[in-house]
């Protein structure tokens, strides 16, 4: 089965074609970073308009890359949520319309399920069950995964997501949008242990996260002491170390409580070099395994949507002719495909 995947949940237009026998055939991505940079963050209306301009040309480019014609596509998968409602509607309307015109089934994909399954696109995919750390600008969650659609939420952020805290702290430091990767780059120049930031909610039981207080601690430190470039780098290093340590502590706790030794890490923050290094070291120490998507599949992309959609289409799942999007869509509301395919 060849599936066209469409991702338009925020500020990237991602298109891909996935073949259930041959794997990924095409991958096209357009980032709106330059469009939103002057505003210091994503402007929803501008994002929606840009998706309108870019989605169809990228679909044409993906078909050309895969050397396929529309009649070679067996199904269409599009992100239906969570995300920006206008951006979601662009991808959903185009995806549903193409499916109707091509007379193939369509399926609505949960954005975070796409991230969760992104490591399945690699040569060494994880086996079920595993613990997933979903860590991005909008979500920080620990999920037990026993199969596709079999998700148990173990913990999540009660305020800012980790990626959101990265972006907000970067903005306080005067770094350009997108701030998270720029803060991580600055942290590479920082000296360890110059500043000691708190590791929030690690001194109590549970698997929930909180990064709002850490952001405030960083803001106060920046206001008081960030008067030269080296000090700014040291503060960035301390902030990143605190976030990474917190994520590692909670992952260790989740694996211990469940007795599992496989960890999947996905979402934009999973591209962070320090987080990857720390989790690889931890997994090796306990005799476990940790799985990451390749860097280009950490951020929003069409490949993960095409893959996730293909699994549900194979099981016979599809949507009717109505176009529905879900700006808020808890992952735990998803159900396993009816046939039990995984």
């Amino acid at each position: 089965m060849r599936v066209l995947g469409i991702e338009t949940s925020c500020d990237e237009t991602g298109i891909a074609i996935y073949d259930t026998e041959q794997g990924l055939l095409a991958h096209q991505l357009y980032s709106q970073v330059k469009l939103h940079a002057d505003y210091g963050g994503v402007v929803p209306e501008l994002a929606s308009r840009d998706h309108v301009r870019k989605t169809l040309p990228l679909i044409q480019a993906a078909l050309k890359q895969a050397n396929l014609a529309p009649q070679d596509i067996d199904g269409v998968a599009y992100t239906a949520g969570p995300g920006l409602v206008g951006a979601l509607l662009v991808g959903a309307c185009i995806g549903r319309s193409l499916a109707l015109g091509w007379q193939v089934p369509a399926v609505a994909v949960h954005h975070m399920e796409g991230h969760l399954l992104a490591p399945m696109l690699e040569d060494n995919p994880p086996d079920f069950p595993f613990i997933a750390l979903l860590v991005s600008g909008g979500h920080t969650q620990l999920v037990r995964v026993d199969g596709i659609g079999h998700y148990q939420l173990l913990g999540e952020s009660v305020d800012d997501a980790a990626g959101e805290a990265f972006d907000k702290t970067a903005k306080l430091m005067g770094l350009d949008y997108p701030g998270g990767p720029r803060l991580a780059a600055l942290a590479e120049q920082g000296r360890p242990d110059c500043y000691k930031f708190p590791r929030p909610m690690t001194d109590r039981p549970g698997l929930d996260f909180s990064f709002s207080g850490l952001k405030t601690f960083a803001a106060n430190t920046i206001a008081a002491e960030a008067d030269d470039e080296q000090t700014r780098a040291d503060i960035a290093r301390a902030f990143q170390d605190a976030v990474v340590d917190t994520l590692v502590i909670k992952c260790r706790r989740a694996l211990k409580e469940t007795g599992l030794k496989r960890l999947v890490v996905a979402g934009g923050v999973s591209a962070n070099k320090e987080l990857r290094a720390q989790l690889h070291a931890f997994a090796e120490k306990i005799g476990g395994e940790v799985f990451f998507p390749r860097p280009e599949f950490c951020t929003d992309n069409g490949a993960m949507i095409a893959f996730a959609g293909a699994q549900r289409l194979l099981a016979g799942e599809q949507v009717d002719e109505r176009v529905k999007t879900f700006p808020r869509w808890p992952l735990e509301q998803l159900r396993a495909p009816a046939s039990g395919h995984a």
Side-chain angles (χ1 to χ4, degrees):
M1 174 180 278
R2 295 191 185 106
V3 178
L4 173 71
I6 302 173
E7 158 58 26
T8 63
S9 65
C10 190
D11 60 343
E12 272 110 8
T13 310
I15 305 297
I17 299 172
Y18 179 80
D19 188 303
T20 54
E21 294 183 0
Q22 301 178 59
L24 189 64
L25 302 181
H27 171 233
Q28 297 286 325
L29 182 68
Y30 178 80
S31 174
Q32 299 178 1
V33 166
K34 291 182 180 179
L35 176 66
H36 301 288
D38 290 342
Y39 303 94
V42 177
V43 181
E45 179 63 23
L46 295 181
S48 302
R49 291 178 184 180
D50 211 46
H51 287 308
V52 171
R53 288 189 288 264
K54 297 298 191 302
T55 302
L56 286 177
L58 286 175
I59 291 173
Q60 293 170 342
L63 288 169
K64 183 177 180 180
Q65 181 184 356
N67 195 27
L68 297 174
Q71 56 265 33
D72 297 317
I73 299 299
D74 302 307
V76 177
Y78 58 85
T79 302
L84 303 175
V85 62
L88 291 168
L89 280 168
V90 175
C93 288
I94 291 175
R96 194 67 198 88
S97 298
L98 288 177
L100 282 170
W102 295 344
Q103 297 183 327
V104 297
V107 66
V109 175
H110 192 291
H111 180 75
M112 297 311 293
E113 181 172 59
H115 276 303
L116 186 153
L117 298 177
M120 301 289 186
L121 290 161
E122 304 304 321
D123 293 335
N124 180 34
D127 294 324
F128 300 115
F130 56 77
I131 298 297
L133 172 66
L134 302 177
V135 56
S136 66
H139 299 81
T140 303
Q141 298 177 323
L142 279 166
V143 182
R144 178 181 173 126
V145 180
D146 289 295
I148 293 175
H150 294 278
Y151 308 132
Q152 179 188 357
L153 182 65
L154 303 177
E156 62 184 338
S157 180
V158 299
D159 42 54
D160 290 355
E164 183 180 5
F166 261 101
D167 289 338
K168 288 181 177 179
T169 301
K171 193 169 185 177
L172 290 169
M173 300 187 75
L175 299 175
D176 292 335
Y177 170 85
R182 298 182 188 278
L183 188 147
L186 181 61
E188 292 181 7
Q189 311 302 318
R191 298 168 295 186
D193 302 323
C194 288
Y195 293 91
K196 181 66 175 178
F197 280 28
R199 275 58 173 164
M201 295 184 72
T202 59
D203 58 349
R204 67 187 76 175
L207 295 171
D208 285 337
F209 302 88
S210 171
F211 293 105
S212 180
L214 179 60
K215 177 200 65 183
T216 301
F217 190 95
N220 293 335
T221 306
I222 292 165
E225 303 193 35
D227 51 4
D228 63 77
E229 194 62 20
Q230 184 59 58
T231 302
R232 284 159 45 84
D234 294 340
I235 293 172
R237 172 69 180 268
F239 173 83
Q240 178 176 264
D241 286 349
V243 173
V244 169
D245 283 354
T246 300
L247 294 173
V248 172
I249 289 168
K250 292 300 177 99
C251 286
R252 181 169 65 234
R253 189 176 294 175
L255 291 171
K256 183 177 180 180
E257 289 183 5
T258 60
L260 299 178
K261 289 195 174 183
R262 277 189 294 271
L263 177 68
V264 162
V265 187
V269 182
S270 68
N272 183 277
K273 295 178 183 177
E274 186 63 23
L275 178 62
R276 288 186 173 227
Q278 293 289 340
L279 286 175
H280 273 301
F282 160 64
E284 184 177 352
K285 183 178 180 180
I286 67 167
E289 297 177 281
V290 61
F291 300 84
F292 296 90
R294 69 193 77 170
E296 60 263 40
F297 293 162
C298 290
T299 52
D300 296 348
N301 64 87
M304 66 183 191
I305 302 304
F307 178 85
Q311 309 315 304
R312 291 187 172 271
L313 285 167
L314 279 174
E317 184 174 320
Q318 59 180 289
V319 295
D320 58 28
E321 295 180 1
R322 294 172 294 178
V323 175
K324 295 181 180 180
T325 58
F326 308 92
R328 296 179 182 273
W329 190 3
L331 183 65
E332 57 270 28
Q333 288 184 358
L334 286 183
R335 296 293 179 263
S339 72
H341 178 84

